[in-house]
Amino acid sequence: MPTVPWRGRSALALMLTVATLMLSACATTTGSGGTDVFCRSTKPLRWSKAAGIKNWGYFIIGLPTETEETIRQTIDFAKKLPLDIALFHVAAPYPGTPFFFEVVREGWFRPGTRWEQVDMDKGTVLDYPGLPAERLLYWQKRAFREWAFRPGPILTYAKMLLSDTSTFKTALDVGLQTLRWQTGKQAD
């Protein structure tokens, strides 16, 4: 993966002036030794927040070798970062990817799964020994709840609503959808 040389706070100010609104600086994966954090420092995230750039965190749970302990570590890590938004998805073995072929080879698809059911936004098709689909979905929802229902994220969301009233209806709709997802009462 190509990298961009880091230039510090002055680069963040420049990024903001050229309409960069989000920054992705860290990632976690689970390996045989547990969670590997690809984030040398949280300073860039703190600096970007101070410069007015929104920090989004994308977290994928349910990769091979994932355990409930490593999911717990990922949640704890996400809560320590200065993020404006955090999204938690269950890994999706999209057809044709190396992950897909590994899932087929190892027999990790839920029985009766069709390839068109593979969608990280609509549940999971994974069924690992010791970490079945139901547990992965439980942890996905728990991760979101633990991250979102804290004072900082709630305040960020409230500020967003108050700063631009035109987004209020959309934000309310997203909030209601999230509540239905959390309670398992999704509308089809």
Side-chain angles (χ1 to χ4, degrees):
M1 174 184 282
T3 60
V4 176
W6 184 248
R7 302 286 185 232
R9 288 182 190 210
S10 60
L12 289 171
L14 180 61
M15 289 167 68
L16 185 60
T17 62
V18 295
T20 298
L21 300 176
M22 294 182 288
L23 177 69
S24 174
C26 300
T28 63
T29 79
T30 55
S32 57
T35 300
D36 296 316
V37 179
F38 296 105
C39 183
R40 290 189 182 101
S41 171
T42 60
K43 283 181 187 176
L45 289 172
R46 294 184 198 295
W47 293 342
S48 65
K49 191 167 192 76
I53 297 172
K54 305 281 186 228
N55 293 324
W56 286 33
Y58 296 91
F59 301 89
I60 298 175
I61 61 174
L63 291 168
T65 74
E66 185 86 83
T67 65
E68 294 194 42
E69 174 64 26
T70 60
I71 294 170
R72 172 81 266 150
Q73 291 171 4
T74 298
I75 296 168
D76 292 344
F77 176 67
K79 288 166 50 177
K80 291 176 185 172
L81 296 174
L83 301 173
D84 295 285
I85 299 281
L87 301 172
F88 298 87
H89 291 286
V90 177
Y94 289 105
T97 63
F99 183 36
F100 174 84
F101 294 116
E102 182 179 9
V103 170
V104 169
R105 184 180 66 250
E106 298 296 329
W108 293 332
F109 272 118
R110 296 200 75 161
T113 297
R114 295 184 325 267
W115 70 267
E116 60 268 12
Q117 294 174 297
V118 178
D119 186 340
M120 70 179 186
D121 293 322
K122 295 185 179 177
T124 185
V125 296
L126 295 172
D127 225 352
Y128 294 117
L131 196 56
E134 293 78 17
R135 292 301 293 167
L136 289 169
L137 294 173
Y138 162 81
W139 280 105
Q140 177 191 28
K141 289 179 180 182
R142 181 171 176 170
F144 177 78
R145 275 194 314 268
E146 283 193 33
W147 184 88
F149 297 124
R150 298 176 302 128
I154 290 171
L155 184 60
T156 297
Y157 190 70
K159 283 182 189 176
M160 183 218 31
L161 288 176
L162 296 174
S163 69
D164 183 4
T165 55
S166 67
T167 63
F168 186 81
K169 186 175 186 267
T170 302
L172 182 60
D173 184 51
V174 169
L176 290 173
Q177 287 177 31
T178 301
L179 209 51
R180 283 192 296 272
W181 173 67
Q182 284 290 317
T183 61
K185 298 178 182 175
Q186 288 181 298
D188 291 322

